[in-house]
Amino acid sequence: NDHMSMFKKYSLSKRETEVCKLLLEGYTLRQISAIISIAYPTVNTYCTSLYRKLKINSRTELFVLFKDYPIKNKPH
């Protein structure tokens, strides 16, 4: 699927991709930590490293970068 290539293009790890998708779906870091069962500080680390790889500084920039990403449960 084409959207996976968006993540591959930035050489995100499997976990970074997972965190990135959940961020795009609007979850908080704390919720993500519960969803994928990893410690909150670890989620924070993935988030920091994926922001660095994407060369962004905020979730807003993340949404802009992935504006074509099909979000299943995008808030209305």
Side-chain angles (χ1 to χ4, degrees), residues 17-76:
T17 302
E18 210 171 352
V19 169
C20 189
K21 286 178 181 171
L22 290 165
L23 285 170
L24 287 167
E25 286 177 19
Y27 294 102
T28 64
L29 294 184
R30 223 162 266 296
Q31 288 170 317
I32 293 171
S33 130
I35 293 166
I36 58 180
S37 306
I38 57 178
Y40 175 77
T42 313
V43 176
N44 208 15
T45 303
Y46 286 128
C47 189
T48 306
S49 65
L50 80 88
Y51 276 25
R52 192 177 55 241
K53 287 181 181 180
L54 301 174
K55 298 182 172 47
I56 58 171
N57 300 299
S58 71
R59 195 180 292 213
T60 307
E61 289 178 84
L62 184 73
F63 284 122
V64 170
L65 196 61
F66 287 94
K67 65 183 185 303
D68 300 324
Y69 181 73
I71 294 163
K72 290 185 293 296
N73 28 0
K74 192 184 251 179
H76 300 292

